[in-house]
Amino acid sequence: MSRLTNGEAENSLQKQSDQIPHQGLNGRCGKGSDGTSSRPFYDENGGEKKARQQKEMTFQDMYNNQDLLDDDDDDSDWEPTQEHVEIKKWFCTNCTMVNLDDVIHCDICGEHKETGILRLGFFASPFSQDLGSSEVESDIKERHKDLGCPISTLNGSTAVGFDERMLLHSEVEMKSHPHPERPDRLRAITASLATAGIFPGRCYPIAAREITQEELQKVHSLEHIEAVELTSHILSSYFTPDTYANEHSARAARLAAGLCADLATAIFSGRVKNGFALVRPPGHHAGVRQAMGFCLHNNAAVAALAAQVAGAKKVLIVDWDVHHGNGTQEIFDQNKSVLYISLHRHEGGKFYPGTGAAHEVGTMGAEGYCVNIPWSRGGVGDNDYVFAFQHVVLPIASEFAPDLTIISAGFDAARGDPLGCCDVTPAGYAQMTQMLTALSGGKLLVILEGGYNLRSISTSATAVIKVLLGEDPACDLDVLPSKAGVQTVLEVLKIQLNFWPTLGPRYSDLQSQWGMYCLKNRKKQIKKRRPAVAPFWWKWGQKRLLYHVLNGRLHLKSKGR
């Protein structure tokens, strides 16, 4: 796949590249076995092709275990007269899942084959074809346009960072399935905001700037920075089988980091009220020395340190991406001036990237400044997240008293996401954002991380930005956490109260209420349980008596009556 316009550059890069074994996990790929390599590797057209395909099955394992087909394979059973039947298929624009050509709605998410989500955002109907009608577009914009005039004074405004050049970062050659971290993610969000009249309209645009090498070296090693820069000379390259780069990726990463740094500075200095960074590639998996998990530079870390250069003494980073931000944790692992709190699927280390257990609390005198809330299962929804915010995130964050709050806002825990498989709704994200506005005098920066269902990320991002603009969340959630959610929160509190003693009474109260939560969840499950219904053919057979009992048509009386 990889090609170079300069043969000498290819030879030079190949000498510097490591051939690293990789392990696919939950739709993403980890770093090398030595844990330090950040060098990209490059595909060749040689005899290693089949071996490489076996290593690059990460997405195939995730998406229905489809096998890679290679036209160059030697097949001794092939016959010249055999008729080749081609199965036509299409990939859903919304969720990237594969569908047969004879269906017009995605089997997974229900989106129409020719959806208008990239033109109108989530306001486009998922059930009908986009006809490109200007009358329909005008009608939708008029019906959904937000009330109120744009704010003229900058210090009372919400700033948005976006640059179209970040759309140029894309996978050059599609493998057996479209890459989930794709330019359409930003297109869907910006289309939704434009249709709603939010951006452009009610938000202030921040001019894009490429981050400098000096600024990046506060976060990353020089080796890592140079490795990312080298990709600008290559048509297509990979740091890991799932972390791609093309000739535009290095600039896109610099623009993303630059926008986040400038937004953090503007918010902390009071030039703007708060902000949202619509950026890609994402960043929270990028560590000091390695790019991985779709991430090249760590945007949240760059923003935090930029705020500190501007005068912020303490910065809070709340990471609600469904995957643990191992890169962010590594960067601030020994730093007491940055508190990192992450809520993520963990499942005992089986969910990508495998880090982020509750006992990972920081090192070298910074214990307690890393707080991990590791969910033990998938399907986690609003109630568990808000419950964790009430009992862990806000109590610790309030005591820390940050000067600036940053959200690593991945929306892959959203309902419908093909990688996260959780159940957080736009209302849930809005509620969590609202809760965080009470910190640091409302100085809040939201940075886009993951999220791969276009309808989910665009509705969720819009809900978050509306809160930044001052709107109250649509509804207050009735918080009844799951049994597994309460267990996770209790586990985290037990560990963190060693560093935050004020958590003690809260931990004791939750322990005493544990039985109540179990009882409530049991009653909830009983309510949802359907009554047993016998198959209708039992009505005429030997089981006809049991049929009438199960279907409520025969009431048995006890002997005492």
Side-chain angles (χ1 to χ4, degrees):
M1 179 197 314
S2 300
R3 303 175 183 83
L4 280 170
T5 55
N6 187 314
E8 295 180 358
E10 179 178 19
N11 293 332
S12 174
L13 286 166
Q14 283 289 358
K15 290 178 183 178
Q16 298 178 67
S17 303
D18 295 271
Q19 299 299 321
I20 307 169
H22 296 84
Q23 178 180 2
L25 182 62
N26 287 297
R28 296 214 183 159
C29 181
K31 59 188 176 184
S33 57
D34 60 358
T36 60
S37 176
S38 64
R39 292 290 183 189
F41 66 82
Y42 309 95
D43 289 341
E44 298 290 333
N45 294 322
E48 297 180 358
K49 188 171 185 180
K50 297 177 186 177
R52 285 202 173 277
Q53 288 178 337
Q54 294 299 322
K55 292 180 182 179
E56 297 178 5
M57 286 289 288
T58 308
F59 282 115
Q60 285 67 34
D61 292 341
M62 182 175 63
Y63 296 116
N64 302 326
N65 295 315
Q66 300 179 41
D67 293 326
L68 287 171
L69 300 177
D70 190 343
D71 294 337
D72 296 332
D73 285 350
D74 181 18
D75 191 348
S76 57
D77 296 330
W78 180 80
E79 297 179 6
T81 58
Q82 182 178 354
E83 182 180 353
H84 177 68
V85 179
E86 181 181 359
I87 300 177
K88 294 183 179 180
K89 58 186 179 181
W90 57 277
F91 295 102
C92 177
T93 301
N94 181 52
C95 71
T96 75
M97 294 301 184
V98 65
N99 296 272
L100 295 178
D101 197 50
D102 59 349
V103 298
I104 61 172
H105 291 96
C106 177
D107 289 332
I108 304 300
C109 70
E111 196 79 18
H112 195 280
K113 182 179 181 180
E114 298 180 32
T115 178
I117 194 168
L118 297 180
R119 193 170 66 89
L120 298 173
F122 68 86
F123 296 103
S125 171
F127 309 114
S128 58
Q129 178 183 359
D130 179 29
L131 300 176
S133 171
S134 58
E135 290 83 2
V136 173
E137 181 176 359
S138 299
D139 179 60
I140 290 176
K141 288 186 175 182
E142 188 62 32
R143 282 188 286 113
H144 296 285
K145 189 172 184 178
D146 287 274
L147 298 176
C149 299
I151 302 170
S152 56
T153 55
L154 295 187
N155 59 6
S157 68
T158 295
V160 171
F162 173 71
D163 191 287
E164 288 187 346
R165 287 173 290 179
M166 291 183 289
L167 300 175
L168 297 176
H169 168 64
S170 63
E171 191 172 40
V172 172
E173 182 178 335
M174 189 185 81
K175 298 179 183 179
S176 66
H177 196 281
H179 200 290
E181 205 297 284
R182 56 207 190 277
D184 285 351
R185 298 173 62 239
L186 286 189
R187 291 190 181 107
I189 296 174
T190 54
S192 299
L193 297 177
T195 303
I198 295 176
F199 179 74
R202 299 175 63 191
C203 297
Y204 174 73
I206 288 284
R209 174 184 70 87
E210 295 182 29
I211 199 80
T212 65
Q213 180 173 304
E214 181 183 0
E215 291 172 291
L216 281 176
Q217 281 189 266
K218 297 179 185 296
V219 174
H220 298 292
S221 67
L222 180 59
E223 180 190 22
H224 167 80
I225 297 167
E226 291 176 343
V228 174
E229 290 304 312
L230 284 171
T231 63
S232 61
H233 303 289
I234 304 166
L235 179 63
S236 177
S237 55
Y238 285 82
F239 288 91
T240 71
D242 292 345
T243 306
Y244 65 79
N246 65 12
E247 57 191 331
H248 304 291
S249 299
R251 170 180 273 187
R254 292 196 303 271
L255 287 166
L259 280 166
C260 292
D262 290 352
L263 278 166
T265 302
I267 294 168
F268 173 73
S269 65
R271 293 201 302 272
V272 295
K273 179 183 176 183
N274 51 43
F276 196 116
L278 289 173
V279 295
R280 59 180 296 274
H284 73 150
H285 291 305
V288 175
R289 298 177 180 83
Q290 81 278 355
M292 61 181 286
F294 314 163
C295 303
L296 301 187
H297 296 322
N298 196 306
N299 302 318
V302 168
L305 294 183
Q308 291 189 331
V309 169
K313 290 182 173 59
K314 294 184 288 185
V315 178
L316 166 67
I317 300 177
V318 176
D319 189 339
W320 66 42
D321 189 283
V322 78
H323 303 94
H324 177 244
N326 57 299
T328 310
Q329 176 173 303
E330 177 199 1
I331 292 165
F332 296 114
D333 192 53
Q334 303 174 19
N335 192 330
K336 295 175 67 173
S337 68
V338 177
L339 171 62
Y340 177 65
I341 303 179
S342 177
L343 306 92
H344 51 272
R345 277 185 69 180
H346 186 252
E347 299 172 30
K350 295 179 182 178
F351 195 76
Y352 182 90
T355 54
H359 62 77
E360 297 174 24
V361 296
T363 60
M364 301 295 289
E367 289 83 359
Y369 291 89
C370 175
V371 180
N372 284 304
I373 304 172
W375 304 125
S376 60
R377 59 180 178 84
V380 183
D382 295 345
N383 287 351
D384 284 345
Y385 273 84
V386 173
F387 184 77
F389 263 61
Q390 292 172 337
H391 294 277
V392 180
V393 178
L394 290 184
I396 294 177
S398 298
E399 186 173 346
F400 178 68
D403 300 309
L404 175 71
T405 300
I406 296 172
I407 304 177
S408 273
F411 294 111
D412 42 6
R415 179 178 295 172
D417 190 273
L419 267 65
C421 301
C422 284
D423 199 39
V424 181
T425 68
Y429 285 117
Q431 185 70 31
M432 289 188 286
T433 305
Q434 178 70 29
M435 296 169 82
L436 291 175
T437 59
L439 303 170
S440 54
K443 294 180 178 180
L444 178 62
L445 169 59
V446 183
I447 299 175
L448 182 66
E449 296 285 359
Y452 310 102
N453 178 304
L454 302 189
R455 195 165 287 276
S456 298
I457 63 172
S458 56
T459 53
S460 299
T462 301
V464 167
I465 292 180
K466 284 184 175 183
V467 173
L468 296 181
L469 286 166
E471 297 186 19
D472 289 329
C475 61
D476 290 327
L477 300 171
D478 181 20
V479 180
L480 178 61
S482 67
K483 180 180 178 180
V486 177
Q487 285 178 314
T488 297
V489 168
L490 281 170
E491 177 191 7
V492 175
L493 287 174
K494 184 178 181 180
I495 292 171
Q496 290 295 333
L497 64 82
N498 294 312
F499 316 107
W500 307 92
T502 55
L503 296 175
R506 191 175 297 272
Y507 176 67
S508 300
D509 289 344
L510 275 184
Q511 273 192 316
S512 63
Q513 296 171 16
W514 168 247
M516 178 192 70
Y517 283 115
C518 291
L519 181 62
K520 284 185 177 180
N521 275 287
R522 181 168 179 79
K523 288 181 177 178
K524 188 176 179 181
Q525 291 172 0
I526 291 174
K527 285 182 180 179
K528 289 184 176 180
R529 191 175 299 163
R530 286 185 174 184
V533 178
F536 70 91
W537 56 86
W538 285 13
K539 183 176 181 180
W540 300 286
Q542 296 179 352
K543 298 181 180 180
R544 58 183 177 274
L545 178 61
L546 183 57
Y547 170 85
H548 290 295
V549 171
L550 290 177
N551 286 278
R553 296 181 183 178
L554 181 65
H555 300 283
L556 299 179
K557 295 183 179 180
S558 63
K559 291 182 179 179
R561 293 184 181 178

